[in-house]
């Protein structure tokens, strides 16, 4: 069974501080990991995926297979980063289509 | 490109009534997914459909829930004889034809169902 855990429901930091949103997963095969973000009154949107190895809006995430983690990091948080962040997993070709398994989300608040 | 459209945005039903949730995918997308988000929880997969086919319904409750994605028109998630526990936000996502791997899912704004 596949499972995604985000241990922090709420995370509050000050502007300019580093931020790390934790994500751990459980999956027996080779997963694909994603971070989705939902800004206030907007729909869920893809922030980044591990296979792209890119930085979006200053955020990066590295897949650590040994620790089964995919933590999201940003060195200097901005107020506009305040949003709900969801970590998600797909089994890729090993499951049907691209169904996603989501964590419960972390509400990030960046204070001025 | 208006993106994924869902309607209604809010739906109120009394126990025992039927709820019909509609999802129009991004133009050209042939894959539709439905997810449910209960209060204080993350999104949970319900069903994956392609045009006229249910591919994976392993996340659907065995009774009262059904989904379709006809050749023409939107995808429909139907809940018969709703109960209070069905109150949740229901999200639809669409993706283009699968290539050799994952295709990004585009999410709709969701339908918030309240059962009185």
């Amino acid at each position: 069974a596949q499972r995604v855990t985000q241990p922090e429901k709420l995370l509050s930091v000050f502007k300019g501080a580093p931020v790390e949103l934790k994500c751990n997963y459980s999956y027996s095969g080779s997963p694909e990991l994603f971070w989705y973000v939902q800004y206030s009154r907007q729909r869920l949107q893809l922030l980044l995926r591990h296979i792209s190895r890119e930085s979006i809006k200053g955020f990066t995430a590295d897949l650590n297979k040994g620790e089964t983690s995919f933590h999201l990091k940003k060195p200097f948080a901005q107020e506009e980063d305040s949003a709900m962040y969801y970590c998600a997993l797909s089994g890729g070709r090993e499951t049907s289509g691209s169904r996603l398994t989501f964590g419960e989300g972390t509400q990030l608040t960046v204070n001025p | 490109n208006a993106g994924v459209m869902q309607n209604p945005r809010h739906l109120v039903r009394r126990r025992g009534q039927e709820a019909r949730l509609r999802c129009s995918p991004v133009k050209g997308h042939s894959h539709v997914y439905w997810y449910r988000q209960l209060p204080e929880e993350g999104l949970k997969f319900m069903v994956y459909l392609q045009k006229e086919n249910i591919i994976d319904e392993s996340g659907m409750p065995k009774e009262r829930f059904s989904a379709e994605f006809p050749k023409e028109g939107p995808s429909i998630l139907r809940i018969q004889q709703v109960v209070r526990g069905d109150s949740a936000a229901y999200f639809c996502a669409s993706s283009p034809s699968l290539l050799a791997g994952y295709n990004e899912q585009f999410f709709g704004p969701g339908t918030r169902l309240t059962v009185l």
Side-chain angles (χ1 to χ4, degrees):
Chain A
Q2 51 198 58
R3 184 184 176 95
V4 176
T5 303
Q6 293 179 248
E8 301 143 326
K9 282 192 178 247
L10 302 170
L11 184 61
S12 183
V13 301
F14 285 103
K15 177 183 173 181
V19 62
E20 181 180 53
L21 289 80
K22 290 185 168 52
C23 171
N24 289 89
Y25 67 90
S26 172
Y27 186 70
S28 56
S30 297
E32 295 183 37
L33 275 296
F34 310 86
W35 277 99
Y36 277 80
V37 61
Q38 187 171 27
Y39 300 102
S40 179
R41 298 190 189 87
Q42 295 186 28
R43 61 186 66 190
L44 201 62
Q45 56 187 282
L46 179 66
L47 180 62
L48 53 79
R49 68 188 79 172
H50 89 272
I51 57 174
S52 300
R53 302 185 66 81
E54 57 192 347
S55 172
I56 302 293
K57 298 185 179 182
F59 284 98
T60 59
D62 291 318
L63 179 60
N64 186 323
K65 292 187 178 180
E67 296 182 359
T68 59
S69 68
F70 188 57
H71 303 327
L72 183 68
K73 300 176 184 179
K74 185 169 182 177
F76 307 103
Q78 303 300 314
E79 289 180 68
E80 55 266 29
D81 296 328
S82 296
M84 179 69 87
Y85 291 80
Y86 293 96
C87 183
L89 175 155
S90 169
R93 300 186 200 186
E94 296 167 30
T95 61
S96 66
S98 303
R99 57 177 287 188
L100 293 167
T101 298
F102 284 87
E104 295 191 358
T106 297
Q107 177 67 50
L108 173 66
T109 301
V110 181
N111 300 298
Chain B
N1 188 341
V4 177
M5 306 292 286
Q6 288 187 251
N7 67 82
R9 294 292 307 277
H10 300 274
L11 182 61
V12 179
R13 285 288 178 266
R14 295 190 182 280
R15 280 179 297 171
Q17 290 184 320
E18 178 180 286
R20 279 184 177 242
L21 289 65
R22 293 174 186 77
C23 168
S24 297
V26 172
K27 188 176 181 181
H29 284 189
S30 57
H31 298 248
V32 165
Y33 304 81
W34 286 93
Y35 295 87
R36 176 167 68 173
Q37 185 176 33
L38 295 169
E40 306 298 320
E41 295 187 14
L43 284 77
K44 298 255 188 323
F45 168 79
M46 298 182 76
V47 62
Y48 161 42
L49 310 103
Q50 294 179 24
K51 285 283 186 182
E52 299 184 278
N53 284 304
I54 297 175
I55 306 302
D56 179 358
E57 56 182 349
S58 59
M60 289 273 272
K62 293 286 185 282
E63 298 177 350
R64 302 188 296 108
F65 285 72
S66 62
E68 62 177 13
F69 187 19
K71 187 177 179 181
E72 301 290 338
S75 176
I76 306 285
L77 179 67
R78 182 181 177 208
I79 311 172
Q80 295 178 287
Q81 299 176 321
V82 295
V83 300
R84 288 216 174 106
D86 297 332
S87 296
Y90 292 82
F91 291 92
C92 170
S94 73
S95 69
S97 297
L98 281 176
L99 302 173
Y102 176 82
N103 279 276
E104 179 180 346
Q105 291 185 24
F106 295 81
F107 280 81
T111 293
R112 190 162 299 279
L113 172 66
T114 301
V115 180
L116 301 176

